[in-house]
Each structure stands twice: as C-alpha cells, then as structure tokens.
Amino acid sequence: MKQPQMNRRSVLKAGAGLAGLAALGLPASAFAQERRLRMYWWGSKERADRTLQVNKLYQNTYTGVAIDGETLAWGDYWPRLATQTAGRNAPDVIQMDYRYIAEYARRGALLPLDPHVGKGLDLKDFPPSVVDSGKVDGKIYGISLGGNTSSTIYDKDAFAAVGLPPPNLDTDWKAFAKLMAEFTKAAKRPGYFGSQDGGGLEPIFEGWLRTRGQELYTPDNKLGFGEKDIEEWFAYWADMRASGGCVTPELQALDKQNVENNMLTLGKAAIGFAHSNQLVAFQSLNKSKLAMTSYPTGGPGAKPGQYIKPSMLFSLSARTKEVDEAVRVLNFFVNDVTAGKILGVERGVPASAPVLKGIAESLDDLGRAMADYIAAMNSRVGPLPQTPPGGAGEIQVLLRRVNEQIGFDRLKVADGAKLFVSEASRILARG
Amino acid sequence: MTTKPNRSLPASFAVHGALLAASLVMLYPLLWMFASSFKPEEEIFTSASIWPTALNFDAYVRGWRGLDVSFGVFFWNSMVISVLSVIGNVISCSLAAFAFARLQFRGKNFWFALMLGTMMLPYHVTLIPQYVLFLNLDWVNTNLPLIVPKFLAADAFFIFLLVQFFRGIPRELDEAAMMDGCSPWRIYYKIILPLSLPALATASVFTFIWTWDDFFAPLIYLNDMGSYTVQLGLRNFVDSTGRSDWSGLFAMSSVALVPILVFFVLFQRLLIEGVATTGMKR
Amino acid sequence: MTTLASPSVAVGGARWVRSLRRNLPGYLFLLPWLLGFLGLTLVPALGSLYLSFTEFDLLRDPRWVGAANYVRIATDDPKFVASLYVTFVYVALSVPLKLALALAVAMLLNKGIAGLPLYRAVFYLPSLLGASVAIAVLWRQLFAGNGLVNQVVFLLFGVQGPSWISDPDYTLYTLVVLSVWQFGSPMIIFLAGLRQIPQDIYEAAQIDGASKVRQFFRITLPMLTPVIFFNAVVKTIDAFKAFTPAYIISEGTGGPIDSTLFYTLYLYQEAFAYFRMGYASALAWILLVIIAFFTAFSFLSSRYWVHYDD
C-alpha cells in the first residue's frame, strides 16, 4: 500500500486543474518534514492541548521526526479509526480503549509490543498487573496511559445540607439503598433523588456481581451468572425506584452515559456513577462541591467488586512503517517525567511510580483527590476480569434496555431477567 | 412583488403577530446558544434561559484560539471547500439536469432512474469502499474527496431539483430557438440558465450550507488538524468521556453561523429578483 | 414528453451517424455526471452490494457467506422489524406535516409583507442549526419533564405533561416535531417555485375576475406540482434515511427501549459498534429496495397529478 502523505506533490502535479484549486485548502505544513508519525486520540480540547505540548517537547528532544496529531471526540473517533484500519491506513500511534483493544488486536490491526520491551520500551516501573491490562491473548498490545477505576461521585454539599453521611469505602449494597431512600426523604425536593438508576449500567452490575464472587463472562465466553442473579439485580433497582432512593425511569432515560447528561450534572440526583478520571469533568459542570468514593461493597469478608483498569492505552498500528520511532514516542509518553508533568492525571493516574512521584506536587486539588482515591483503592480491588468476548458491547446495550423496560413497566422483573439471559446468549452465540 | 399590501390594518396586525410569535419559536435555539456562550459552564445544562447572567467574552477568545490551530484556519478551509462546491455543483448539476429535462437520447430513463437510485443507499455502507477508492487515488487527507464529486454532479438531489425547475420553463421557448438553429449549448446557456435563477440560487444556498455543515466526509477524509473544517473543529470542543469546553463550543457555533447567514441573505436577493429581471413573456 | 419518431434509414453508416447526432448532445451534457457516477459512485455501491453477501468485520478480509445475511434479516431479526416500524411511523408523520407547513409558510412569505427577507431568514434558521450538538443539548432541556415546553403546557392547560424526550411513548413524536420544525429547505424550494410562476397569468386571471381561492387552485397549485412532487420524493427518501436526529438526541443508542431506533441508526450500530459491516450492507440494500418501491410508485402516480409545461 502506498503512503499517501509522501505523494502529495505528485498528486498536485498530476491532477493539475481541480487539484490545483483544491490545494488552496491544503495546509502548508503538509509539504515540510521528512519522517512523520501520525498519532490519533479522542478527547477534549484540554487533552489535545496537553498531548500536543508533549509532542512538541518530543520533537525538540529528538529532532528529525514530526508527529501529526489527529484528535476527535469519542463518538466520532471510532468510525474513522475503523474506516482507516479497513483501508489499511491506520495512524501509527493509536489511543485505545479497554473495550476495543481486543477487537482490534484479535483482528490483527495492532502491533504486538513484547519484542520491544526492554529494547526501547521500558516497563520496569510498571506493576505487572498494569502490564497485563494491555495484554490480549497473552501478548502486549497496549500500554496504559493511566489507571482508573469505577467510582461513586457525590454532591458533598447536598449531603451536608440534609445532615446525612455520604457513602464511603465501606458502605455495602444494603446500606446504600437505605441511605439513598433516607436522602430523598430528607432532601424534600420534588424531582430530586438520592442516586441515579444504576440498573442498566454494566460497570456497576459487574462490580455487584464480583462482590458475589461471579463474573460477567466465563473463560469460554458464556454468561458468568444465571437468571436468578440478574433477577436479583433488577429487583434491587426496582425496590430502589419504589422507595424513592433513585431517580424515575423518565429521568434516567435522559442520561446518555456521559458527563453532561448524568443525573448528578442535571441536578436530579446527589449521586452519579462514573470513572475516577471523570471527576474533573463532573466538577466543571457542577456548582456544588463533589467528592468520590467506591461503589457499594459486598460487606465484610466479601470479595472486592472493583479493579484498576487502564483508562486509556496507546497501541501501535500493525502496519506502521516507523516501528522504532513509534515505540520511542510511546515510551516517552509513559516514562518521561517532564512529559508526565504536562499530561498530569488527565488520562488517569500514571502507572510508573517514578512518574507519579515526579508529578505529585504539580497536581491540583482534584488531581490529588483522584490520585488519593486510586491509592486508597489499590488494596481494595480484585484482579482484572478476562477480556470481554465478541458481542459484549451489544450486551451492554441490552442491559440498559431491559432495565428501562422494567422501569417503564413494560416487563416484570422476572420476565426481564428471562429476556436478558435468552437475548444475551443469542448474542454470544453469534459472536 | 406579487400583490400590493391592500389588507385592512387589523388583518395586517394579525399576520405580523402570528409571524413574530412563530419567529420566536424559530429563533429560540439560536438565542439560547448565543446566551449559553456567555454562561458559566455549570449553568448550561440546568437552564433553558436565553438571558445570560453575565457578559463574558472569554469563550470567544478561548474558542477562537482553537486547538493547536486557530479557528481562522478552520474557517478558511471550510470556505474554500464550500465555495468550490457551489461552483462545481451548480455547473455540473445544471448540465446534467438540462440533459434530463430537455434533450432526447437513448437510455435517458435508465440513467435517470440510476441517478435517483444514488440517493437511496445509506452512505455508511459505501463509506469503506469509497475510502479505499480515494486512498488508491491518493486523495485521502486532501480536499479532493470533498470537492471533486461536486464537480462531477455526485449529489443527485440537485440534478433532480433542477430537472423539476427546467421542466417548468415553457417549451415553446427552446423549440422556437431550435427552429432558429440554436445549438443545445446555446439553449442551455442563453435560455434555460437565465430563466432559472431562483432555482440556481436555491441550489447554491443549499450547497453552501450543507457543505459548510457537513462533518462526516471531512471527519473521514481529513486527518491533519491544519486541514480541519469548522464542523470538525467544533466537535473537538466536546468529548462525552471527559472535560469539555461547552461555552467555547457555543461561542464558536455562533460564530460559525455568520458565513452561512451572510451567504443566505446574499443569495435570497437573487432568489427574489430572479423572475422580475428576466421579464419572461409567454 | 414528446419524442420525435426517428425515420428509419436503410443505409447502415448513415443510421449510425444519425443516431450519434441524435444522442450525442444528451451524453455530452451528461458527461460530468456519468464520469462521477461510473468513477466515484458506482464502484463503492457495487462494493457494498458485494459486502452484503459477506461477513465483514472491517478489520479482516470479507468472507463470502452467500445470502446468509438476507436470510437472517428476513427470519431472525426482531430489531429489523422494530426499526422498520419506527422509520415508517417517522416517514408517514414527518413528511406530510413538514411539506404542508413549508408550503403554507412559503405562500405567506410570497406576499408583499414588510420585513419579508428577515422572516425568511428567521424561518430558515432552524435548518441551519440542524444537526449540531448544541441543538441536541437544548432540545433535551426543552422537552424534559420540567422543561420549558411542559411549563407552557401547564400554563395553558393546567396539566403536567410527560417527559417528551425520554418517555418511550413520546420520544419518536418529539423527533417528528424536531423534523417538522426544520421545514426551511422545502420552504425555500417552494418559494423558488412560486417565484417562477409568471406573473402575467395572475394578471390575466384577475382581469377575468377569478377569486384568490380560485387562482390558488387553478394557477398556483398546478404550476407548483413539479416542485411539490420534487419535495415529496426527496423528503420521503430523506426521512427513510433519517439518521442524525436520532443519533444526536439519543447519543446513538436509539433509546429509551428502542423507541428511536431508526433503520439507519440500527444499520450504523451494526456496522460501526458491532463490527458487522456485511450485515449492515445487506440492511442498506433492503432499505434501497423499499425506498425505490415508494419512489417508483410516486413517479407512476405523478402522471396523473404533476403538470409539466412540456
């Protein structure tokens, strides 16, 4: 396959008329440099600013290389990556999500990094569990850009106002339900509730399952739980809705599982569930002071429900022409302390201990809260679950839909459980 | 204008009252968006008010600086693509429409049906084959995939639109010209085009606005931030997974409306004057 | 359309020349489109037709599976049926309402009212904002349970309205309202059509003493039928392919409970969220056949009600 970037000159010469006109719109920089790498990530403007700054730093340190940054928002990111990959024109350095890495790695789109470990890619400061989190079927396909775990984000001021203690690291599921019902009663505001409805959210369902010693999926890609289990789960949230502990289905349906439509942001609930690295985003859209704790637990002696997962990874395209250069960029992002200071904890808490130590004092309050939370959770988490099977994304949507069907009284709890298990099995069989 | 306003005063009041009320419904989102560009971030999602609580131009300054590249670059890119698209679309689509509306040739109905058929396939599934095609032509990461199709009348909407308008022009006109020995080219150029100014203006307005607003094609074909269009730039303010710059988004969204509004206002004059200036007689 | 019967010519060469002379101008005018069609449009379209007979996960090479995708759609896909239903309801409601509103406003704005250009621009504005993220945010706020719409409803009727944007009984209709609200582009086309009706016809009618109502039914409406036909066909095709409204309002989920799972949204999920481009391509070609059926029907019916001047 030809490298399009190299050939712009020839395109211009060849397609005189139209091409000449169109070239008015070409950036001048496209004609400069000799060796170029394409780096692609999703995220906000803030992430773009930080990443581009590190790229500049890299280009100043190692001259002769130019990194073309390409950035889009999450929703736009994946269709373009899929299209480029299908066209064998993927960027060299690709920001990956834990959900998608297996899809891409198993289909041969990503470069196995094992041969470069110790030779250009330094992972000696990485805890083994973090290295493992970038593995698919035993090979390393991605390097964590930061650690992350699920969290319960709550409105500190609201809890103070009603005089109830906010949930903490030891609150179990039962106590959580009770607390939420009490909160709603105490708050006495129509349309304002203790918690969002978490019944349709896969991460929190997974956390609940794991406190019971179960998993979402078995190693042979079947459901790791039965009809009775998920019936209990749906019933927990049905009771919660009945007691007023969580929002109504009409409200929850406004939530599109992003920061700006979360029940907390919309002022409908005092509690929202999110990833720990989203605290900053939540705070920027909320007037009152927010804080963070873990998901409810299974009580004393129960297994830990949560795990630390990479919030984002960097992977390399299997077709990159500049393997060594790309590895060096990757290494720079995860091991260089100056780069780490620029990146902060915007993508999650860095895995390398020296980097984390190096950036500690430059963190602001929210950044420190995030780092402290991860540090506190380190002793309260379980191992990573196995890589999700094909169809996992579809099942995630199914969970949400069935919880809605129950919420809107279209299905009884038991029928919802039955429907979920039969449809999920169908999806898994199709793969 | 068609008729003199010879209505009674109350009737006139009623008409304007209704139009003004409707205008408010139509304008509300724009006003809200504009107001939101001045609001503190945490107010945007909880307030549908169109009165800003403060007047703060930070978002405009911050937004205009854009990503690594200034928003001015995005505007320039969008402008180049949109203007070239208008030129390409109007020329190529009016040529094809003339053939379909006025000329006789074998296979006309067949081609016309195929042309309409191209409007019916959802673009998501032709995306990858088309990407591979443009990649092999070495057009990816240039403006060519966005512009060349416009010069080749790829958007059947406009051909069909112009066909409908051309067919409304009295046929005696070109038959008479044909008798006088005019070539099809002269009929197209001297009779059909001048008589179709409202339709051509309409096509120009839509091409400009839709090209300006399009984000999917630029999303797929433009990689370098320096080549991003306004719509791509706008979509970088917001990321559903992290911290977004919402007031920046609304500020730049408001600014991004200016060129299309200006274009609309300019061309709507043409749309109105069209018939009056041609002095068409039957 | 009248086609002159070609006089049959005995001599082969002359016939060829004659045929060329008759057909050439048409093809010359069509040339840019033909080049684009054969070079840029046809190949990807055929590509997707081929993919519809394969299993294609975007990242690995497609694998031929014959008609399996089509068989599955026909026999074993409840979401296909559900999304088709949503789309039909949307087409059936949004197209007539939008066109009626667009025509009514265009008629109103075609008269000599002070401030006309301003009104025109204002009424076109929603269509400019169309599919932006900003509109999605506002739309959700306005139509939520305690949103502005319900506050107005409460003031006027004293009842508490539902959450129009998140109650599965109403979401689809809210999207219809959104679509109707963006009636700008058919309105502009109607306006252009109205402007193209020669004024002397009206003057003649006025001299003959025809009433305004009679003028509308005898002149305006018949003269406008080509444009009405155009808007109806194009808006129907657009509505069948509607993607963006549902995509941005529901953030691509089609929820709540699949109430806004438009056909193309389902297709998009299959293609890009679940990596089943082969299956999505089959869905696309079925949609094409459905749309083509409706379009062919409109063209056949157009003989009876569309008046061309040729």
Side-chain angles (χ1 to χ4, degrees), chain A residues 75-76 78-83 85-88 100 103-104 106-109 249-251 253-254 256 258 260-261 268 319 391 393-395 397 400-401 404-406 408 410 426-427 430-431, chain C residues 56-61 69 72 76-79 133 137 140-141 143-146 163 165-169 247-251 253 255-258 266 268-270 272-276 279:
Chain A
D76 302 331
W78 298 101
R80 171 146 120 193
L81 182 63
T83 307
T85 311
R88 314 281 190 263
Y100 284 100
E103 306 269 11
Y104 278 83
R106 286 189 181 140
R107 288 164 179 151
E250 293 84 12
L251 288 176
L254 291 171
K256 306 299 173 195
N258 51 28
E260 67 270 20
N261 292 308
K268 311 291 181 199
R319 288 187 172 73
E394 216 173 338
I395 292 175
V397 176
R400 183 186 162 118
R401 202 193 76 205
E404 279 173 347
Q405 282 174 302
I406 295 171
F408 282 108
R410 305 281 171 96
R426 249 169 61 112
I427 293 168
R430 190 179 174 195
Chain C
F56 178 41
D57 66 9
L58 298 172
L59 309 175
R60 282 175 299 199
D61 291 335
N69 290 329
R72 187 187 174 91
D76 189 23
D77 189 352
K79 277 201 166 178
V133 186
V137 174
R140 281 195 290 255
Q141 271 181 31
F143 286 89
N146 60 349
S163 177
I165 198 84
S166 66
D167 185 324
D169 287 337
Y247 181 76
I248 58 171
I249 296 286
S250 78
E251 302 260 339
T253 62
I257 322 187
D258 293 347
Y266 173 47
Y268 177 86
Q269 287 180 354
E270 284 290 311
F272 289 105
Y274 309 142
F275 296 93
R276 294 190 199 113
Y279 196 71

Side-chain angles (χ1 to χ4, degrees), chain B residues 18-29 31 50, chain C residues 122-123 181:
Chain B
L19 281 174
L20 281 174
S23 298
L24 184 69
V25 174
M26 292 287 149
L27 271 178
Y28 192 88
L31 297 176
I50 52 174
Chain C
V122 166
F123 284 9
W181 176 65

Side-chain angles (χ1 to χ4, degrees), chain A residues 40 72-81, chain B residues 215 219 232 235, chain C residues 247:
Chain A
Y40 185 41
L72 287 173
W74 167 267
D76 302 331
Y77 183 88
W78 298 101
R80 171 146 120 193
L81 182 63
Chain B
F215 77 90
L219 169 74
L232 272 191
R235 295 175 79 90
Chain C
Y247 181 76

